[in-house]
Amino acid sequence: MKKDPLAWLALAAALAVTASAEYALARACGFGPWVAAGVPAALDIYAVRALRVHRDVLAVVVAMIAVNAASHLVSAQLLPISIPLVVAVSAIAPLVLWRVHALRAQAIASIQVQPEATDDFERAAEQAVDLADTTTVDPGEQAHPHPGATASAAGHTPDALPAHPEPVPTATAPVVRELTSPDADAQLLADALAVNARALAETGRPASLRRLQTELRIGQKRAQRIQAQLPESA
């Protein structure tokens, strides 16, 4: 509604039309000329606040309809000035004061909740990225397809496949093995050298990141550091 001039023009026209009837009712109920102006002013402020926060809109519309109807009934001498009517008109200002402040508090509370929801979303995204790090496909494997696929594309028979193809890793995410000492680090490198030697013998290429992660049970970053230390030929 902030960028809708027609909506604001409609609101201004409605408030101007209803203000005269609200003022007349307050004067008929014994309000002074200056104090009576506070009744339409209070209702107008309530209407603007409700439309801004999109709350209590129905309540403020019903209140304005009731006050205007009562004013015109009094002017037409169809409704006498009575104690309940005076009490009702006198209660308008305090009720408006309560609702305007309540709507402001609700608007502030709704704004403060949004950062908490954003933090939850960011934490979930970080967890998803961490999980994806342990299952990322090695770019080297994508750049160098399986020998069987190359042979098929070139029109050769499956006889060109190696006797011992590289085992396909399972879909289960590898369990990360933590290094706690230099001896463990050295043992991990030795295991990686053995895995790399088998890969060179089977495929003619160094061990891929996925194979290192699967057989050594390590994460992607550690597998990248280990792969950088491995020889590329037998």
Side-chain angles (χ1 to χ4, degrees), residues 1-2 8 46-55 57 107:
M1 186 172 177
K2 292 181 179 180
W8 284 111
Y46 183 23
V48 173
R49 172 71 78 183
L51 291 173
R52 279 183 176 273
V53 300
H54 305 289
R55 295 175 182 269
V57 177

Side-chain angles (χ1 to χ4, degrees), residues 3 5 17 40 45 54 64-65 68-69 74 84 92 99-100 111 118 125 149 155 157-158 167 199 215-218 224:
K3 298 181 179 180
V17 170
I45 292 172
H54 305 289
M64 295 176 72
I65 292 174
N68 276 265
V74 169
I92 290 176
R99 289 312 303 160
V100 168
I111 294 174
T118 303
T157 62
E215 297 193 19
L216 301 179
R217 303 192 305 277
I218 58 177
Q224 290 174 341

Side-chain angles (χ1 to χ4, degrees), residues 75-194:
S75 299
Q77 297 182 353
L78 298 175
L79 178 66
I81 299 298
S82 60
I83 293 177
L85 180 60
V86 174
V87 171
V89 175
S90 301
I92 290 176
L95 289 175
V96 167
L97 176 64
W98 164 55
R99 289 312 303 160
V100 168
H101 282 274
L103 291 176
R104 180 176 182 274
Q106 292 173 4
I108 294 175
S110 64
I111 294 174
Q112 293 175 347
V113 170
Q114 292 178 359
E116 297 178 0
T118 303
D119 293 343
D120 292 341
F121 176 80
E122 291 177 354
R123 284 194 293 269
E126 291 175 358
Q127 293 174 359
V129 171
D130 293 340
L131 179 60
D133 285 344
T134 62
T135 56
T136 302
V137 177
D138 180 15
E141 291 186 353
Q142 297 179 349
H144 303 284
H146 194 278
T150 305
S152 300
H156 299 297
T157 62
D159 295 336
L161 293 176
H164 302 285
E166 182 178 352
V168 178
T170 61
T172 305
V175 179
V176 178
R177 182 168 68 178
E178 297 292 339
L179 299 181
T180 56
S181 66
D183 293 339
D185 196 358
Q187 182 61 43
L188 178 61
L189 181 58
D191 294 343
L193 289 171

